[in-house]
Amino acid sequence: MSFRLILETVVESQIKTGRYATPNDVLRDALGLLEERDHVLRDQRAEFQRKIQEGVESARRGELYDGEEAAAELEAMLMRREHSGAA
């Protein structure tokens, strides 16, 4: 199946749902969602990099956590959540 045929099939199926009137409407919405996703991913990546840098700076200051102790704390927190019914 060619890319063009796949694209046409998807666009036609979206129009049949009644949500969209024209192929342009489908593509405009799809491209808007793609742009929105890219912004979210960019923001998440920036936040991730910020947290890494924060961790590096903490380590340089000697503010480190014992791995086993941190894992035990996380496990205890998850157990409390599980027992409280929180998800």
Side-chain angles (χ1 to χ4, degrees):
M1 198 178 234
S2 72
F3 176 74
R4 181 181 176 143
L5 184 57
I6 293 170
L7 182 59
E8 287 174 357
T9 302
V10 169
V11 169
E12 287 172 13
S13 71
Q14 290 299 311
I15 291 171
K16 285 179 184 177
T17 67
R19 184 171 176 198
Y20 301 99
T22 67
N24 283 341
D25 293 340
V26 176
L27 294 175
R28 184 176 19 259
D29 199 23
L31 291 173
L33 290 169
L34 180 61
E35 188 172 325
E36 181 181 326
R37 186 201 66 183
D38 288 347
H39 286 298
V40 168
L41 290 174
R42 200 171 18 254
D43 291 348
Q44 288 174 339
R45 187 176 301 118
E47 178 67 10
F48 185 61
Q49 290 172 336
R50 186 190 66 73
K51 287 183 178 186
I52 289 172
Q53 186 59 38
E54 190 177 285
V56 168
E57 290 170 7
S58 291
R60 286 184 179 145
R61 291 190 303 267
E63 300 168 353
L64 302 171
Y65 292 96
D66 176 70
E68 289 181 19
E69 183 180 325
E73 286 179 25
L74 286 172
E75 188 173 336
M77 182 182 71
L78 291 173
M79 293 292 278
R80 285 191 302 273
R81 272 185 148 180
E82 188 177 294
H83 292 300
S84 71

